Amino acid sequence: MTKHLYILTGASRGMGLAIAEQLLQAGNSLLCISRHSNDTLATAAQKADVPLLQWTQDLADGQSASERLRQWLASQNPAELSGATLINNAGVIPPIGPLSQSQPADLALALRVGLEAPMQLCAAFLGATDAWTIPRRVLNISSGLGRSAMASQAGYCAAKAGMDHFTRCMALDEALKAHGAKVCSLAPGVIDTDMQVQLRGAAGKAFPDQAKFAQLKEKGLLSSPQQAARQVLSFLARPDFGLNPIGDVRD
């Protein structure tokens, strides 16, 4: 029986973990790439009888992760797969504050994890599977902050804006191929994760929009990781996925 291969980054917590849990269904196999493995996810996969690999990999070193992925994919038999999907979900928000007060190392980490690694993993995935004729999809988890600037968020905004734009380029590349991958950079909405806790807890002087994020929580306007994961996977399954390389779950 063929299986659909899903490759997911940032799967050990938050929305990434919720996506991984919801992918533990018959007919799927899953490779998760995160800094830490998740024992609960491993137990759930065993119970669901779904093949699961968890690579403990720091995506600050996207080159090593992408080289490992390329080599692993080269060893796979596409005849045993019904499809293959890469989901770039991992991201880092640097310490909140104006760019003038940001540290070079913090900015470098945000860009390496949020932009450099997804680009490298996309290159590895698409390159290693270029001759495969099965359906392939790439879903990059972006953010509204990649499309609307916000004070004290230069590093995160830049990473997500870069993700959107390289996805546009990738879509043009793949459209020229007979069996090109369908790709999309998707904003998943506002989700109640550790990142939101960080934004709500920022000092008002360092983050002018802090009160807005606090109000989102107070008014119950945040999606749970599980709800957001369902919306993301529903968008991924749409027949028109990739028609527009830039998307939003609210579209």
Side-chain angles (χ1 to χ4, degrees):
M1 179 183 295
T2 60
K3 293 185 177 294
H4 191 115
L5 170 64
Y6 288 92
I7 302 162
L8 171 65
T9 69
S12 63
R13 62 179 185 172
M15 187 181 72
L17 176 58
I19 290 174
E21 290 171 337
Q22 291 177 30
L23 287 173
L24 295 179
Q25 299 180 16
N28 291 343
S29 65
L30 187 56
L31 167 61
C32 295
I33 307 174
S34 306
R35 282 187 301 166
H36 307 287
S37 62
N38 187 294
D39 293 340
T40 301
L41 182 63
T43 300
Q46 187 174 22
K47 183 176 181 181
D49 194 25
V50 173
L52 169 69
L53 285 176
Q54 295 191 78
W55 289 355
T56 53
Q57 187 91 38
D58 188 346
L59 290 178
D61 183 5
Q63 180 176 345
S64 294
S66 61
E67 289 173 351
R68 183 181 183 185
L69 179 62
R70 187 184 293 269
Q71 292 171 4
W72 183 81
L73 285 168
S75 71
Q76 303 304 300
N77 181 2
E80 298 176 353
L81 299 173
S82 59
T85 298
L86 170 65
I87 304 174
N88 279 307
N89 166 72
V92 170
I93 183 168
I96 297 167
L99 187 62
S100 60
Q101 297 177 14
S102 298
Q103 297 301 311
D106 294 330
L107 294 172
L109 179 63
L111 290 171
R112 284 174 184 156
V113 175
L115 176 57
E116 184 177 291
M119 183 178 287
Q120 291 167 326
L121 290 169
C122 283
F125 175 78
L126 294 174
T129 64
D130 197 47
W132 295 8
T133 57
I134 60 174
R136 294 173 299 141
R137 295 189 172 193
V138 174
L139 175 60
N140 288 328
I141 302 298
S142 185
S143 169
L145 293 185
R147 300 159 197 180
S148 298
M150 181 171 285
S152 298
Q153 291 291 311
Y156 187 76
C157 287
K160 294 304 186 182
M163 172 179 275
D164 283 353
H165 211 47
F166 93 71
T167 303
R168 292 184 181 98
C169 296
M170 191 165 57
L172 294 174
D173 291 339
E174 294 301 302
L176 299 174
K177 302 175 182 179
H179 300 284
K182 304 299 183 183
V183 306
C184 183
S185 188
L186 180 69
V190 188
I191 309 161
D192 197 4
T193 62
D194 290 345
M195 187 174 293
Q196 282 291 319
V197 173
Q198 189 176 349
L199 293 169
R200 292 195 300 270
K205 291 183 179 179
F207 186 31
D209 290 291
Q210 184 270 345
K212 295 179 182 178
F213 286 90
Q215 289 173 5
L216 289 173
K217 176 68 172 180
E218 292 169 2
K219 295 180 179 179
L221 298 178
L222 299 175
S223 299
S224 69
Q226 293 73 25
Q227 179 185 357
R230 285 192 293 272
Q231 290 178 308
V232 165
L233 291 175
S234 177
F235 193 99
L236 178 62
R238 283 167 49 163
D240 63 345
F241 178 87
L243 191 62
N244 187 337
I246 303 299
D248 190 299
V249 291
R250 293 159 288 197
D251 291 344

